[in-house]
Amino acid sequence: LNRGIASLGTELALLVDADCVFPRQTLKLAVRYLIQQGDDALGGHLAVANGSTLLGQLQALEYGGILLQRFFTRYALNLQRTQDVIPGALGLFRTAALRRAAPLSTELLAEDVDLTARLVQQGCFLAYCPYLVCATVVPETLRSLRIQRRRWVQGYLQVVLKQLRSWPSLTLRARLSALAMAQKALAWPCLFLLSLAYIGANV
């Protein structure tokens, strides 16, 4: 990724996972949104591509509308032109802003969260874009889901602790972003336990 970012020759850059599938017109609408809003980076919405199993359906609910709080948080942060994360799995950037915040960390588990924090600290404008959507493959076993979520939580907490150490110098937008990061890191273990309870009740 760092080599790719360094070699970019375009005005815009899309960071995306290899297993993501885009609906038609998605990227066109997202690019138009970024340009019209004057943002430096956009985060998108990930849907579940493999939702045929019970575990996949639970994650589809989590990724989707059952957690309306997540959407409220995103749109509330939009008002301050900041976000808690521009996902590495689905993020559209102005190349100049991406390069200023690069390279991506090789020491943290959530390099996209760390990148987002640096973008905010540098005064970049970030937003959640409702038009930037794709479907991604999610874990299909409890073990792989547990490993993924543990990595997510640890990665978020690493960045939150990093932010707390520089709290006095953070701007209001950076502090709001850090608080949203902490809230998400604390919510994931609870959601995982609720998923386990739901599975146990329906097996």
Side-chain angles (χ1 to χ4, degrees):
L1 281 172
N2 283 326
R3 283 197 293 268
I5 292 169
S7 65
L8 283 170
T10 56
E11 182 181 347
L12 302 179
L14 180 75
L15 297 189
V16 61
D17 282 355
D19 59 3
C20 289
V21 180
F22 293 91
R24 293 184 64 183
Q25 303 298 318
T26 292
L27 296 181
K28 180 179 179 180
L29 291 172
V31 168
R32 183 181 299 167
Y33 185 94
L34 182 144
I35 293 172
Q36 289 179 346
Q37 297 294 321
D39 295 310
D40 295 295
L42 299 179
H45 174 65
L46 292 164
V48 172
N50 53 330
S52 58
T53 66
L54 177 59
L55 192 59
Q57 291 169 8
L58 285 172
Q59 291 175 85
L61 289 173
E62 178 191 357
Y63 278 53
I66 195 170
L67 292 183
L68 292 177
Q69 177 271 339
R70 176 177 295 184
F71 290 96
F72 292 145
T73 299
R74 285 171 172 170
Y75 283 113
L77 291 172
N78 267 7
L79 296 176
Q80 294 296 325
R81 305 192 75 179
T82 189
Q83 288 292 308
D84 60 325
V85 62
I86 302 296
L90 184 60
L92 180 65
F93 300 82
R94 291 187 187 273
T95 301
L98 181 58
R99 281 202 175 125
R100 285 197 303 271
L104 299 175
S105 173
T106 58
E107 300 177 353
L108 301 177
L109 293 175
E111 70 282 349
D112 52 353
V113 182
D114 181 59
L115 173 67
T116 303
R118 278 183 275 147
L119 287 167
V120 176
Q121 290 168 6
Q122 292 175 6
C124 293
F125 295 133
L126 314 181
Y128 166 70
C129 175
Y131 307 116
L132 185 58
V133 296
C134 74
T136 187
V137 177
V138 298
E140 296 184 331
T141 66
L142 285 175
R143 181 177 182 276
S144 59
L145 178 62
R146 177 178 58 81
I147 291 172
Q148 181 197 62
R149 297 312 164 89
R150 182 174 62 187
R151 177 173 56 83
W152 285 2
V153 171
Q154 289 176 340
Y156 261 84
L157 289 178
Q158 284 177 330
V159 180
V160 168
L161 291 174
K162 184 179 175 182
Q163 294 288 82
L164 288 176
R165 285 194 289 269
S166 57
W167 188 264
S169 63
L170 295 183
T171 64
L172 173 61
R173 293 170 61 245
R175 290 181 179 183
L176 289 173
S177 179
L179 290 173
M181 292 176 192
Q183 180 271 332
K184 187 176 287 186
L186 294 173
W188 268 323
C190 299
L191 293 171
F192 182 70
L193 292 175
L194 287 174
S195 295
L196 290 179
Y198 184 89
I199 292 170
N202 287 273
V203 171

